[in-house]
Amino acid sequence: MTRLLPLAAALLSVTAFGAAHAADPTPPTAWYWHNWTDHDGISHMTRCPFHNYDLKTMSKPAGPQWQDHVHEGNAQIISTVQPAHWDGSWHPDPKVQWIIPLKGSWYVTAMDGKKVVMGPGDVSLGEDQMSRKDAKGHIGHFAGNIGDGPVTLMVIQTDEQPTTDQPCRFH
């Protein structure tokens, strides 16, 4: 019986940590677009990695999954549907917010002229609250829908304070 204890412990640990842990212990990298502001008040779009993953369960007995705890604190979750041909004009985000397209595609153009098109599966972090009007009167970002249909977004507004000169600060 005592000889079986190490084997039982090994099997239990494989079950507890799941096949993903045993098969590939290398954390993944995922990406998001960060709309951030520099010290001159100009907004930029930068592609940033999520890569601080730990393999653990969210709720036992569910198997482990890679988790990167990006934000802890209060958040408001909003589902929004932008009507067909929606035009966001130039504006800053109301709060530091994560934006995830669920259906359709939309674009964000930063003050530096960089335009990024996003669709389902893409993630954007809007943090251009500290932007200032430029000579053309632009502030924040310009956004709009791609195509002739509506765009459904999940928006997660956080209690984070906006920053400047910190692209990719959530990694």
Side-chain angles (χ1 to χ4, degrees):
M1 180 79 173
T2 353
R3 292 167 140 178
L4 294 177
L5 286 177
L7 177 61
L11 287 173
L12 184 59
S13 70
V14 168
T15 304
F17 295 112
H21 185 270
D24 186 4
T26 306
T29 299
W31 301 92
Y32 70 97
W33 286 100
H34 189 182
N35 181 9
W36 60 280
T37 306
D38 66 23
H39 61 277
D40 292 323
I42 304 299
S43 65
H44 306 272
M45 293 292 287
T46 302
R47 189 169 183 245
C48 305
F50 290 119
H51 57 77
N52 290 327
Y53 286 99
D54 292 314
L55 187 62
K56 57 187 175 182
T57 184
M58 289 184 88
S59 179
K60 292 182 180 181
Q65 53 191 312
W66 291 105
Q67 300 174 40
D68 183 346
H69 286 262
V70 177
H71 170 79
E72 292 186 23
N74 294 319
Q76 178 176 338
I77 301 170
I78 303 166
S79 173
T80 181
V81 179
Q82 297 169 173
H85 307 286
W86 179 80
D87 172 351
S89 297
W90 285 99
H91 68 283
D93 287 299
K95 294 185 176 202
V96 176
Q97 59 188 20
W98 294 95
I99 307 158
I100 304 146
L102 301 176
K103 184 177 179 186
S105 295
W106 71 307
Y107 66 88
V108 174
T109 304
M111 294 170 68
D112 68 1
K114 179 149 184 143
K115 180 179 181 177
V116 175
V117 174
M118 291 169 272
D122 291 322
V123 177
S124 175
L125 173 62
E127 188 182 12
D128 59 1
Q129 295 81 10
M130 305 299 282
S131 60
R132 295 188 299 271
K133 282 189 180 179
D134 64 11
K136 297 177 185 174
H138 299 165
I139 187 170
H141 64 279
F142 190 95
N145 291 2
I146 302 290
D148 293 326
V151 175
T152 303
L153 304 171
M154 180 67 64
V155 179
I156 304 165
Q157 294 182 330
T158 73
D159 59 358
E160 294 281 343
Q161 293 301 306
T163 63
T164 58
D165 292 322
Q166 292 190 45
C168 301
R169 72 179 178 118
F170 293 97
H171 58 81

